Amino acid sequence: GEDVEQSLFLSVREGDSSVINCTYTDSSSTYLYWYKQEPGAGLQLLTYIFSNMDMKQDQRLTVLLNKKDKHLSLRIADTQTGDSAIYFCAESIDSNYQLIWGAGTKLIIKP
Amino acid sequence: KAGVTQTPRYLIKTRGQQVTLSCSPISGHRSVSWYQQTPGQGLQFLFEYFSETQRNKGNFPGRFSGRQFSNSRSEMNVSTLELGDSALYLCASSRPGGSYGYTFGSGTRLTVV
């Protein structure tokens, strides 16, 4: 069945790079997404990648997709305190019209 | 361009009551989907609508229902509320196929007492 897995926590020092990892099982994914959720807020779309791409860069964010290993990562360069949040990985499968979500990774920034 | 608007932001209901939540999508987006978020279960898919038709439904009991109007606005209804229905209900709109991503509203926080 469909499943998306993420580590629950990641702790990094301010100014370092953060790398959040995600694995998925369904090879028929169309798009893969990264969302950010701050306390008490909804989900903010950070970036997404089409399944036939292997990399996408957007300012401080770099997404890497290894389709063979079904592995997705989000790298945040120069991590700031404002990056503290929960980061969700999600995949969409066109025929199902839904997103399958990971449990979310809480990013903790150490001063 | 206005984002996805969900109303109300907060609701407190008692067990056995019913509730209706509303979602107005981004102008031009005809797909609206609903998700339930709880600390224990994470994000769970409820249903998706496109052009007033439900195209997919998640694994929720029949007490959860929804609809979409001709202007793409959507409502979801939960009848005979249970304590376990307490959650953040999130609505998302998108272009067909999810290209350019799904844009979420701020959610409706439902508390059942």
Side-chain angles (χ1 to χ4, degrees):
Chain A
E2 306 141 343
D3 198 16
V4 177
E5 294 191 355
Q6 302 177 241
S7 301
L8 293 182
F9 298 96
L10 176 66
S11 179
V12 299
R13 292 205 179 277
E14 190 175 359
D16 286 352
S17 291
S18 306
V19 179
I20 304 170
N21 294 301
C22 169
T23 57
Y24 59 97
T25 56
D26 199 314
S27 56
S28 59
S29 300
T30 311
Y31 289 93
L32 294 130
Y33 306 88
W34 284 104
Y35 282 87
K36 176 183 180 182
Q37 188 175 40
E38 295 179 86
L43 292 159
Q44 175 194 353
L45 176 64
L46 286 177
T47 186
Y48 62 94
I49 189 167
F50 189 49
S51 58
N52 69 353
M53 296 170 64
D54 50 23
M55 187 181 100
K56 182 177 180 181
Q57 189 150 5
D58 184 2
Q59 299 183 331
R60 292 192 298 126
L61 305 178
T62 303
V63 177
L64 294 178
L65 174 60
N66 181 328
K67 199 166 181 181
K68 175 177 164 288
D69 294 338
K70 298 190 183 70
H71 182 266
L72 181 74
S73 68
L74 173 70
R75 178 176 178 269
I76 305 172
D78 186 25
T79 309
Q80 302 298 309
T81 55
D83 295 324
S84 293
I86 299 176
Y87 291 80
F88 291 91
C89 164
E91 61 170 342
S92 70
I93 299 151
D94 236 1
S95 57
N96 283 350
Y97 311 114
Q98 69 176 89
L99 294 172
I100 310 297
W101 297 88
T105 299
K106 184 169 185 176
L107 180 61
I108 300 161
I109 316 298
K110 296 181 287 188
Chain B
K1 178 163 144 175
V4 177
T5 304
Q6 289 189 248
T7 55
R9 285 296 312 275
Y10 303 94
L11 267 178
I12 300 176
K13 292 284 188 178
T14 55
R15 277 182 298 174
Q17 287 188 309
Q18 76 163 20
V19 67
T20 299
L21 313 182
S22 178
C23 172
S24 294
I26 288 174
S27 178
H29 285 190
R30 292 164 62 193
S31 171
V32 174
S33 43
W34 290 88
Y35 292 84
Q36 181 197 63
Q37 186 178 29
T38 59
Q41 298 297 316
L43 282 151
Q44 302 286 320
F45 171 73
L46 281 156
F47 20 67
E48 190 266 359
Y49 289 89
F50 180 81
S51 292
E52 302 178 68
T53 300
Q54 186 184 87
R55 297 194 295 186
N56 195 9
K57 188 179 192 309
N59 190 23
F60 278 82
R63 300 184 297 106
F64 291 80
S65 63
R67 59 179 176 168
Q68 186 180 36
F69 302 94
S70 58
N71 62 357
S72 295
R73 190 177 71 86
S74 178
E75 289 181 346
M76 68 164 280
N77 185 277
V78 188
S79 62
T80 319
L81 284 165
E82 300 177 0
L83 295 178
D85 298 332
S86 294
L88 180 66
Y89 289 88
L90 292 159
C91 163
S93 75
S94 70
R95 300 186 192 193
S99 56
Y100 306 104
Y102 292 74
T103 303
F104 282 80
S106 299
T108 294
R109 173 77 60 186
L110 172 65
T111 303
V112 183
V113 297

